[in-house]
Amino acid sequence: MVKKKCVAMLLAGGQGSRLHSLTTNIAKPAVPFGGKYRIIDFTLSNCTNSGIDTVGVLTQYQPLVLNTYIGIGSAWDLDRRNGGVTVLPPYTESTGVKWYTGTANAIYQNMNYLEQYNPEYVLILSGDHIYKMDYSKMLDYHIQNEADATISVVEVPWDEASRFGIMNTNSELEILEFDEKPKNPKNNLASMGIYIFNWSQLKKYLDVDNINTESTHDFGKDLIPLFLKENKRLIAYPFQGYWKDVGTVKSLWEANMDLLEDNPGLNLFDHSWRIYSRNPNQPPQYLSVQAVVKESLINEGCYIEGTVHHSVIFQGVEIKEGASLHQAVVLPDAVIGKNATVERAIIPEGIIIPDGITIKPEEGSDEIILVTNEMIEQLRKDVTA
Amino acid sequence: MSRLLGVIDAATSVKGLQDLSLNRSVASIPFAGRYRFIDFILSNMVNSGVESVAIFPRHQYRSLMDHIGSGKNWDLDRKRDGLFFFPPYFEPNENSNVGSFDRLEQHLDFFERSHQDYILIANSYTIASIDLNEALAEHLIQDNDITEITTSSRSLEMYILKKSLLIELIQNRKNSQFISISDVATQPLHHYKIGGYEHHGYAAVMDSIDAYFKHSMDLLDHSIWSQLFSTDRPVFTKVKDEPPTRYSAESVVTNSMVANGGIIHGRVDSSIVSRAVKIGNHSVVKNCIVMQKSQIGENCHLEYVILDKDVRIQDGVTLKGTSDKPLVLRKGAVREMAVSK
């Protein structure tokens, strides 16, 4: 196999339990976002746009949708003769089935995959975040700084710093300390879960970590502290731009709403950094004579007869006459019935909102409703009662 | 395995569509916001299980080749069968209609080699959703030599015949003086049995700007839209990775079909808007067809205008055609406001 300079390993096994019913049947990276994408599209497109053509995708939780979605990677131009995308699920060995017990363990178990390409550098990514980033610049930075590991960091507001893994650095951006969710943060540079390692070093320390019975085999909690203990050179790579962890219903909703701003932090219309996705191949959207659509993103295949304000509508959605949406995110193939009203809500794929039903948070509440079939059943009973 | 071999004659020229086919073949004229004419017949073939499709283009086939590529978007990038592209070795002299024998003869070995025993030969500019298996079944039941697919007795320029008969017609053309399949189907004096298969759904033959405009507007009728784009018989096309379309706070869009990647600020009514189109603030676009990547500035007023790809309308321009004679702006055209003194 031809040697590769840099191979990406994309951790996509996350359950995303705080997304509730959105992740009952799919892993978090497969959750729909932005009117036509899935979360993982951003990381995969970043790889392609950064010239990284070899990507291992590590799956574990509910992989069916994700596996089918990724396929042979052609949507992201990752169907390559040498390299391309490879889905790496946990596997059985003669000694038994080995689940991925931590992020570092997932890489450890796929050393064979990396050995095939014998790369100089390994880029560790997470499939949970929405952002656009040129990894080739980070790699140049890593090489210029002669680092053993480079960790991408983003400035977060000080009052939120205790929710993140914080990198304490000196003025040269050398990492001195890693604080996982510190009560009294000393810095506001949060780890984005993006690491570049020299493969020879990473291999060595994965072996060390693997035999440590105290370890949870996690990059943030175990590997980075181990590198620091061994006085390795760890450098922070400051990232500027839009970056969002969409781990909760609220943050997923907010990230969708962010796209509707006048000059959104995340520009989906930039032809020089396209976000690729598997195209649903549906006809153009139709807006009827009664339709009113403002401040919204609407995808192919929608049929709109109602009113849509400040909302994100995925492909194949039907919005019937008299229906009204405000600050809603409607996932593929949902139907909003006649005269139904939906506000500040996420409507999952394929859900049918019956005619005349109203779904909105209580006055003054900043809650975001994740609509479920049970909820609709209840509302329907209330209406008929 | 399908018994039908699909043949698309993308070489017939259509005089009435000249404004839209100056730089491209008729087969690749954009239609319905994100498609090209040829997508409809290609998708009909694929949806009917046809596994081998031959395309015969004439000169200026670059845009067509760029669109079709390996056939991947139609699932026709196959090891066995799949998509075949047969540019002419030389342009036949006579300007014939569908199924020119002089043209097909140049690739006769392909027909001889193909394992399918029936051939469907079609033009590239008929827009319809047709189950070709039903047409083949009808051909077999009626025991025709040639079956012509029609709608309300009008020819859709699609013909089914046995492969062996096609080869025979091609080889005997000097004696018979028949120049094409459609020639055989329309000439009365011969012993071949010609029958018809009536397609009852929507069908449009795009042979003039008038027809192009009228049938584009047909798409705004939901019953026609759903016939052409049913979910179990999708129309495939070359995919572009455009984001969803963005509507601003000022946008007012009614009775229109809008493709992805658009940024809409102005008013759009009764129009077809293709991929990645920009429409500026306070502009009015009514009864128009706007093709891919065209940009309309601010304070413009357009009615009954067909804007080909990459057309730019500068701020403040007013352009009006009529329903009988829509104005056509050619690809890449720029329109500025007339300077008044």
Side-chain angles (χ1 to χ4, degrees):
Chain A
M1 199 83 72
V2 181
K3 187 176 160 73
K4 292 276 177 185
K5 185 177 176 189
C6 183
V7 170
M9 295 295 267
L10 202 169
L11 299 156
Q15 184 176 352
S17 51
R18 287 174 304 156
L19 288 166
H20 306 291
S21 65
L22 288 173
T23 49
T24 309
N25 299 312
I26 57 176
K28 182 176 165 191
V31 168
F33 174 79
K36 80 174 275 195
Y37 310 97
R38 293 184 189 264
I39 296 172
I40 199 171
D41 285 330
F42 289 83
T43 327
L44 286 173
S45 301
N46 285 340
C47 285
T48 299
N49 288 326
S50 305
I52 292 172
D53 63 8
T54 309
V55 185
V57 180
L58 299 113
T59 61
Q60 176 151 291
Y61 174 78
Q62 287 285 8
L64 176 67
V65 170
L66 197 55
N67 288 351
T68 316
Y69 186 68
I70 293 170
I72 57 166
S74 42
W76 305 270
D77 231 356
L78 287 170
D79 50 334
R80 298 298 180 84
R81 198 152 38 86
N82 176 26
V85 79
T86 308
V87 176
L88 302 167
Y91 54 91
T92 323
E93 277 186 357
S94 50
T95 47
V97 180
K98 290 181 173 172
W99 295 103
Y100 298 152
T101 53
T103 51
N105 177 259
I107 306 296
Y108 174 82
Q109 290 201 43
N110 286 289
M111 277 205 195
N112 285 344
Y113 170 76
L114 282 161
E115 284 295 326
Q116 292 183 88
Y117 299 105
N118 189 24
E120 276 176 69
Y121 307 99
V122 174
L123 169 67
I124 308 288
L125 300 166
S126 137
D128 291 354
H129 303 126
I130 305 287
Y131 65 109
K132 298 202 283 189
M133 178 173 174
D134 189 341
Y135 303 133
S136 68
K137 287 192 178 142
M138 180 175 169
L139 182 60
D140 290 345
Y141 178 90
H142 174 82
I143 296 167
Q144 270 162 24
N145 280 288
E146 295 177 352
D148 293 306
T150 299
I151 302 170
S152 184
V153 294
V154 62
E155 269 188 62
V156 293
W158 278 96
D159 56 334
E160 287 179 30
S162 53
R163 287 175 37 216
F164 295 91
I166 296 295
M167 297 291 165
N168 297 327
T169 59
N170 64 17
S171 57
E172 309 280 86
L173 287 172
E174 287 174 323
I175 296 166
L176 309 173
E177 208 182 1
F178 173 75
D179 266 350
E180 176 71 23
K181 297 182 181 157
K183 280 214 177 75
N184 301 303
K186 293 180 228 163
N187 202 349
N188 68 336
L189 293 178
S191 166
M192 296 163 68
I194 302 168
Y195 311 91
I196 292 179
F197 292 98
N198 298 343
W199 171 229
S200 54
Q201 300 259 356
L202 178 63
K203 198 159 54 170
K204 186 173 142 195
Y205 290 109
L206 281 174
D207 276 328
V208 173
D209 176 71
N210 186 52
I211 50 172
N212 178 0
T213 49
E214 308 278 288
S215 174
T216 58
H217 311 300
D218 183 82
F219 272 101
K221 286 192 205 109
D222 306 290
L223 253 281
I224 299 305
L226 179 61
F227 269 68
L228 287 169
K229 204 176 93 192
E230 297 281 328
N231 287 318
K232 291 289 159 193
R233 187 171 156 78
L234 268 63
I235 304 284
Y237 174 73
F239 170 76
Q240 257 126 31
Y242 187 90
W243 178 80
K244 191 136 187 159
D245 181 353
V246 286
T248 62
V249 171
K250 182 133 194 221
S251 63
L252 180 66
W253 176 85
E254 279 169 356
N256 277 289
M257 292 299 121
D258 287 347
L259 296 170
L260 303 175
E261 284 170 14
D262 276 344
N263 289 300
L266 188 80
N267 179 9
L268 296 174
F269 288 79
D270 179 3
H271 280 181
S272 65
W273 202 273
R274 277 188 203 263
I275 305 303
Y276 301 103
S277 65
R278 198 171 256 232
N279 285 276
N281 200 9
Q282 295 204 16
Q285 54 205 266
Y286 175 76
L287 280 68
S288 82
V289 178
Q290 303 95 328
V292 178
V293 176
K294 293 188 190 289
E295 289 176 50
S296 295
L297 278 174
I298 300 188
N299 200 20
E300 297 174 339
C302 289
Y303 194 81
I304 298 176
E305 297 174 287
T307 299
V308 181
H309 275 273
H310 211 86
S311 296
V312 175
I313 316 290
F314 282 71
Q315 66 268 16
V317 168
E318 219 178 303
I319 298 171
K320 303 217 162 142
E321 247 181 278
S324 164
L325 296 178
H326 187 65
Q327 298 188 320
V329 178
V330 187
L331 303 192
D333 305 319
V335 179
I336 317 294
K338 279 185 186 165
N339 303 314
T341 301
V342 180
E343 281 179 30
R344 292 174 68 86
I346 298 180
I347 299 169
E349 194 162 344
I351 283 216
I352 296 168
I353 309 281
D355 294 356
I357 289 242
T358 295
I359 295 172
K360 61 177 181 184
E362 278 174 37
E363 209 66 49
S365 153
D366 65 350
E367 186 202 355
I368 301 306
I369 299 172
L370 174 61
V371 178
T372 59
N373 276 321
E374 294 75 47
M375 189 185 293
I376 291 168
E377 218 30 64
Q378 190 56 46
L379 283 167
R380 209 208 291 261
K381 275 184 202 150
D382 294 351
V383 169
T384 48
Chain B
M1 207 178 284
S2 178
R3 299 179 71 179
L4 272 178
L5 176 68
V7 175
I8 301 174
D9 184 347
T12 47
S13 66
V14 183
K15 282 215 175 60
L17 288 170
Q18 215 188 31
D19 278 326
L20 299 175
S21 60
L22 280 177
N23 302 303
R24 56 167 82 92
S25 62
V26 170
S28 59
I29 291 178
F31 182 68
R34 64 190 291 269
Y35 304 95
R36 306 288 180 131
F37 284 172
I38 198 171
D39 292 340
F40 290 83
I41 182 64
L42 257 182
S43 301
N44 277 329
M45 289 178 174
V46 171
N47 287 328
S48 305
V50 174
E51 290 155 334
S52 188
V53 177
I55 299 176
F56 288 78
R58 66 187 282 131
H59 59 82
Q60 283 189 343
Y61 51 82
R62 193 186 68 185
S63 69
L64 184 58
M65 268 196 96
D66 175 60
H67 180 70
I68 303 289
S70 64
K72 194 183 174 70
N73 286 306
W74 296 266
D75 210 15
L76 285 171
D77 55 334
R78 302 263 71 99
K79 286 195 171 175
R80 191 190 157 93
D81 292 334
L83 188 82
F84 299 89
F85 208 74
F86 294 129
Y89 295 121
F90 55 89
E91 272 303 325
N93 287 330
E94 68 258 344
N95 211 345
S96 92
N97 30 27
V98 176
S100 153
F101 293 143
D102 272 0
R103 191 175 295 282
L104 300 180
E105 198 269 337
Q106 296 179 33
H107 298 278
L108 194 65
D109 55 334
F110 168 76
F111 295 104
E112 285 165 342
R113 218 171 41 230
S114 295
H115 60 82
Q116 292 84 355
D117 50 356
Y118 285 89
I119 290 189
L120 173 97
I121 182 154
N123 72 13
S124 61
Y125 48 85
T126 293
I127 308 294
S129 180
I130 301 178
D131 186 344
L132 302 173
N133 289 323
E134 274 184 31
L136 176 63
E138 194 63 29
H139 175 79
L140 297 174
I141 290 165
Q142 291 182 15
D143 197 21
N144 293 330
D145 290 314
I146 299 178
T147 299
E148 181 175 42
I149 302 180
T150 58
T151 191
S152 313
S153 303
R154 186 186 170 184
S155 173
L156 296 181
E157 299 175 22
M158 295 182 197
Y159 306 92
I160 292 175
L161 71 167
K162 248 196 177 128
K163 185 178 83 173
S164 52
L165 175 60
L166 176 73
I167 293 172
E168 183 189 310
L169 285 166
I170 291 171
Q171 285 171 340
N172 292 341
R173 71 189 189 286
K174 292 280 184 297
N175 296 330
S176 69
Q177 292 296 310
F178 289 131
I179 59 167
S180 66
I181 304 277
S182 59
D183 193 23
V184 181
T186 45
Q187 293 276 345
L189 296 169
H190 54 64
H191 62 276
Y192 299 114
K193 186 182 174 202
I194 312 289
Y197 168 77
E198 176 76 6
H199 166 66
H200 294 288
Y202 179 81
V205 181
M206 299 293 188
D207 49 9
S208 66
I209 292 289
D210 259 11
Y212 181 81
F213 188 77
K214 180 185 172 293
H215 295 308
S216 291
M217 293 304 157
D218 282 350
L219 299 168
L220 301 176
D221 177 335
H222 190 49
S223 66
I224 291 175
W225 188 89
S226 15
Q227 278 186 54
L228 282 179
F229 303 111
S230 78
T231 40
D232 47 342
R233 300 183 66 79
V235 183
F236 303 101
T237 188
K238 183 182 179 185
V239 295
K240 294 270 163 73
D241 289 86
E242 293 292 346
T245 285
R246 190 183 161 96
Y247 296 86
S248 80
E250 296 79 34
S251 73
V252 179
V253 182
T254 47
N255 189 33
S256 292
M257 193 164 167
V258 185
N260 269 1
I263 300 180
I264 317 269
H265 292 281
R267 299 179 78 95
V268 180
D269 182 34
S270 305
S271 294
I272 311 285
V273 179
S274 306
R275 295 193 270 212
V277 165
K278 289 189 180 132
I279 298 175
N281 263 324
H282 311 298
S283 283
V284 175
V285 175
K286 198 174 173 186
N287 298 312
C288 289
I289 298 166
V290 188
M291 293 188 201
Q292 206 174 317
K293 286 190 186 162
S294 279
Q295 297 187 14
I296 297 165
E298 298 184 357
N299 300 304
C300 298
H301 192 112
L302 307 183
E303 279 186 53
Y304 295 106
V305 185
I306 299 173
L307 294 83
D308 202 328
K309 273 176 78 176
D310 299 314
V311 168
R312 279 164 169 262
I313 308 290
Q314 313 280 36
D315 294 353
V317 171
T318 295
L319 292 170
K320 284 187 187 175
T322 62
S323 60
D324 300 331
K325 207 168 170 16
L327 207 61
V328 183
L329 298 181
R330 290 178 180 173
K331 188 176 167 185
V334 178
R335 282 290 179 279
E336 294 172 9
M337 195 162 66
V339 184
S340 56
K341 289 195 175 164

